Amino acid sequence: MQVHKSREPVEKLVTEDEAVSRCVADGDYVAYDFSSLTRGPQALVREIIRQHKRNLWICAEFTLHDSSLLVGAGCVDRIDVGFLGYGNYIGRAVVEGRVQVFEWTNGALAFRMLAGARGIPFMPMRNLLGTDTFLQSGAKVVEDPFGGDAVCLVPALNPDVFLVHVHQADVYGNARIFGTNLFALEGAMASKKVIVSAEEIIEPLEFRKEPAKTTIPYFLVSAVVHLPFGAYPGGVPGRYELDVEHIQHLNEIETEDHMRGYLDSCVYSVGNHAEFLGRRVGWKRLTDMVCRASIKEGYG
Amino acid sequence: MDNVAGFTDTELMICAAARLLEDRKTVFVGWGIPQVVALLAEKLYAPNLVQVFEFGAIGPQSLTPFVRGTMGGPSNIYRSLQWTNMNWAFSYAATGYLDYGMIGALQVDAYGNVNSTLLGGTYDRPGRRFPGSGGGNEVASLCWKTIVVLKHEPRRFVQRLDFMTSPGYLTGPRARERAGLPRGTGPYRVVTSQAVFGFDEETKHMLLLGALRGIAKDQVIRGMSFQPMVAEKVEIVEPPTQEELRVLREEIDPARMIIGRPA
């Protein structure tokens, strides 16, 4: 039960350095919303790497290069797999046993988060059954006490930390996401600590004017960070498109040398996200990403 | 149909699969080839097809050209009926609202079970590791009719999967129901670069229904590592038409990231 979060409407706007050092501890279970390519909390992931967090266990749902970077940097040693994508680097890490994986599915992980958000110990569902995925997961099969059929139970997920990158937030942690999500509200409810990074910080009154747009209310949230282009190199729907070239570069990482080179250049050698954008990405590229985001419908 | 030579295996698979989807039905769409199949079907055969994506886009009219990596991005969720999240998307499948599911596969066996997790070795030390289920297990477990799309190669049609990621008919008749999967669901068609398969009602064994024009059924079977059952009359699968290829190459995937280039 998440009784320890403060209900005080205090200002929580901090730097990414402070948010991560305060909320993420070695050994934590970390989950995050959406993918490496769309509204993923990539700036927060880079900050976790920059701070050399260790022995993290991540929920890899819809993950692509972010899980490779976290494993390559030595931050993560266990992964719950829904979709552990993009190729050779992460594939080899699994084959060589450098990271331990537990087999779930995207849906099972989402249902686990829903159970965590509802304050119940498990969720029954009618899939995973009969497969090797079931056997390698922590799920159990029981007889439905009401109907008698076999039913699959998946344990609640209550992460230590949940990261979510949003379109708009206020200083207290109220947050808005436009478009789709994986389990933004569920993750924020289920998790002990929640870091919201936001493209834009808006006035608290705006939330009161249009409450239907609130995705996450402030009392679920531990820290708020203002990180424009916080999903880079992925995109944020309605704001900017992804940087295809940078993502292609990430996809080609195969060797340890190559990984080390990327991390040195894009994470360790820059002090924070703003410096990364200014010195490694550049205004021209960012402007281009904004210009390419021509679809605005539904993102206001 | 107005047929043409010079198409890729993937183009054939996409066209054959798109012809299976019915208008005014729902389909749960997996990543990559299934996305392109759904787009082609929407443009040519099923304008009122409701596509459902696991990240919560319900019924989008996705913009083309298709760009790989835009799963969840604005062009992929354009003009949806509803934007929701993953728990609700899978709940639509779990409550029986989704007529078709469409997924890819590394390997498939005679009962339509699918591997998309690993090849060789053991689970703890696989020979080669792949992304895993994603939402494939949910699609194959919960949609009424699942369509599996994969290349026609012996190493893909195997006696025994290296790992069973997503369920077909498991070990045979009634095995799905015994395992607790919803009654009446299961694999419906397997579409390859040479043929279309269904499943025998009684044995749940894979059944050759159609072979690409110009390809003998023996050749189809030689391209597999198990013997499928063979329908009394094996239909002819027509190669892609001019119109299908034009839409694929000019409107949907001009960069040819998914469809490839003909040799």
Side-chain angles (χ1 to χ4, degrees):
Chain A
M1 300 282 278
Q2 308 300 318
V3 293
H4 300 300
K5 283 182 187 171
S6 168
R7 277 62 143 169
E8 289 291 313
V10 294
E11 295 197 3
K12 297 165 190 161
L13 192 62
V14 293
T15 63
E16 68 264 39
D17 177 356
E18 196 178 338
V20 168
S21 60
R22 204 200 291 162
C23 296
V24 185
D26 289 353
D28 272 357
Y29 191 103
V30 180
Y32 41 92
D33 193 53
F34 233 119
S35 84
S36 320
L37 305 182
T38 303
R39 204 178 43 70
Q42 303 307 322
L44 293 176
V45 166
R46 284 188 292 269
E47 182 60 28
I48 285 173
I49 293 170
R50 194 176 291 118
Q51 292 189 21
H52 301 284
K53 299 293 179 185
R54 286 291 177 267
N55 306 117
L56 302 178
W57 186 342
I58 59 167
C59 173
E61 175 144 340
F62 248 58
T63 62
L64 297 167
H65 56 255
D66 46 33
S67 36
S68 297
L69 294 179
L70 284 163
V71 168
C75 302
V76 163
D77 50 23
R78 284 176 292 183
I79 305 181
D80 281 333
V81 175
F83 186 93
L84 184 63
Y86 278 4
N88 293 327
Y89 186 88
I90 192 77
R92 213 180 57 248
V94 175
V95 167
E96 290 171 0
R98 284 187 285 126
V99 60
Q100 191 181 3
V101 290
F102 305 90
E103 212 62 28
W104 300 90
T105 65
N106 282 352
L109 290 170
F111 267 43
R112 291 185 61 195
M113 200 71 91
L114 183 59
R118 296 215 162 152
I120 53 178
F122 57 82
M123 188 68 85
M125 52 185 235
R126 295 183 71 193
N127 58 288
L128 275 193
L129 294 159
T131 60
D132 290 334
T133 309
F134 171 82
L135 296 177
Q136 295 297 338
S137 73
K140 293 184 188 302
V141 61
V142 297
E143 188 184 300
D144 168 6
F146 301 103
D149 283 350
V151 66
C152 177
L153 303 184
V154 293
L157 201 50
N158 288 105
D160 294 298
V161 192
F162 185 64
L163 313 175
V164 56
H165 186 67
V166 305
H167 288 77
Q168 297 174 325
D170 69 13
V171 295
Y172 302 108
N174 293 304
R176 287 174 175 170
I177 289 169
F178 302 108
T180 65
N181 68 93
L182 301 188
F183 37 52
L185 176 61
E186 293 94 318
M189 288 176 73
S191 301
K192 297 180 184 74
K193 291 179 180 171
V194 176
I195 305 177
V196 167
S197 63
E199 287 295 320
E200 187 186 357
I201 301 295
I202 62 172
E203 287 301 315
L205 185 59
E206 296 302 314
F207 287 88
R208 303 266 179 198
K209 286 181 185 168
E210 293 184 277
K213 288 185 179 175
T214 305
T215 312
I216 298 170
Y218 81 90
F219 55 86
L220 307 179
V221 175
S222 318
V224 181
V225 191
H226 186 198
L227 292 174
F229 295 100
Y232 183 90
V236 168
R239 299 292 187 272
Y240 50 90
E241 280 290 325
L242 33 82
D243 183 345
V244 178
E245 206 175 302
H246 194 103
I247 286 165
Q248 190 55 37
H249 181 59
L250 279 162
N251 295 348
E252 286 161 6
I253 294 179
E254 286 207 28
T255 64
E256 292 306 320
D257 277 354
H258 196 167
M259 173 61 80
R260 169 58 51 176
Y262 179 86
L263 292 173
D264 280 343
S265 151
C266 291
V267 185
Y268 299 131
S269 66
V270 286
N272 56 35
H273 180 60
E275 196 182 329
F276 166 64
L277 293 181
R279 293 179 49 192
R280 298 289 183 266
V281 182
W283 178 245
K284 192 170 169 295
R285 194 170 281 258
L286 296 174
T287 309
D288 173 61
M289 290 165 66
V290 172
C291 291
R292 281 188 290 115
S294 53
I295 302 170
K296 304 292 182 191
E297 205 173 281
Y299 302 109
Chain B
M1 287 192 223
D2 179 16
N3 300 324
V4 286
F7 51 86
T8 68
D9 285 354
T10 308
E11 284 171 332
L12 170 64
M13 281 153 42
I14 290 167
C15 295
R19 295 172 200 157
L20 295 173
L21 293 172
E22 297 174 279
D23 198 18
R24 300 183 182 83
K25 298 282 186 180
T26 50
V27 58
F28 207 121
V29 184
W31 197 13
I33 288 176
Q35 286 179 275
V36 174
V37 172
L39 287 171
L40 183 66
E42 185 190 1
K43 282 182 188 285
L44 290 182
Y45 307 121
N48 302 295
L49 186 67
V50 178
Q51 301 174 41
V52 173
F53 290 90
E54 58 178 327
F55 49 80
I58 312 296
Q61 297 176 333
S62 300
L63 290 179
T64 51
F66 168 82
V67 180
R68 197 184 181 101
T70 53
M71 196 89 167
S75 61
N76 191 202
I77 66 174
Y78 189 62
R79 302 238 158 132
S80 298
L81 297 168
Q82 183 189 21
W83 283 345
T84 178
N85 74 7
M86 187 171 271
N87 278 313
W88 287 110
F90 285 130
S91 295
Y92 279 117
T95 44
Y97 286 100
L98 300 190
D99 301 305
Y100 293 95
M102 188 169 293
I103 57 175
L106 290 170
Q107 293 179 322
V108 64
D109 71 11
Y111 290 116
N113 301 304
V114 164
N115 173 19
S116 51
T117 302
L118 59 87
L119 292 175
T122 62
Y123 179 74
D124 293 321
R125 283 289 190 282
R128 212 174 148 205
R129 173 73 206 200
F130 293 84
S133 164
N137 182 288
E138 279 79 19
V139 172
S141 297
L142 303 171
C143 295
W144 291 110
K145 295 174 172 180
T146 300
I147 299 168
V148 181
V149 182
L150 80 171
K151 268 202 177 177
H152 201 96
E153 300 171 334
R155 61 187 182 135
R156 291 179 181 271
F157 282 80
V158 295
Q159 295 272 2
R160 194 181 158 74
L161 300 174
D162 290 8
F163 188 92
M164 194 208 292
T165 311
S166 304
Y169 290 107
L170 301 177
T171 54
R174 289 174 300 285
R176 277 177 75 91
E177 291 78 2
R178 277 201 304 275
L181 296 171
R183 284 174 177 75
T185 61
Y188 167 66
R189 292 287 184 267
V190 175
V191 178
T192 79
S193 40
Q194 292 185 0
V196 173
F197 300 86
F199 292 85
D200 180 62
E201 290 259 337
E202 221 159 278
T203 63
K204 301 299 182 190
H205 205 274
M206 200 180 286
L207 174 69
L208 177 61
L209 294 178
L212 176 63
R213 181 177 287 282
I215 295 196
K217 66 182 182 196
D218 292 348
Q219 190 184 340
V220 169
I221 296 167
R222 276 199 304 277
M224 305 166 70
S225 296
F226 61 81
Q227 284 282 329
M229 295 173 72
V230 179
E232 271 179 36
K233 183 175 184 310
V234 175
E235 304 285 336
I236 289 168
V237 175
E238 296 294 344
T241 64
Q242 291 279 14
E243 179 66 355
E244 285 170 333
L245 288 178
R246 186 193 64 76
V247 171
L248 275 178
R249 293 172 181 178
E250 292 175 19
E251 294 182 25
I252 297 178
D253 188 13
R256 303 204 175 186
M257 278 176 304
I258 299 284
I259 63 177
R261 288 178 189 281

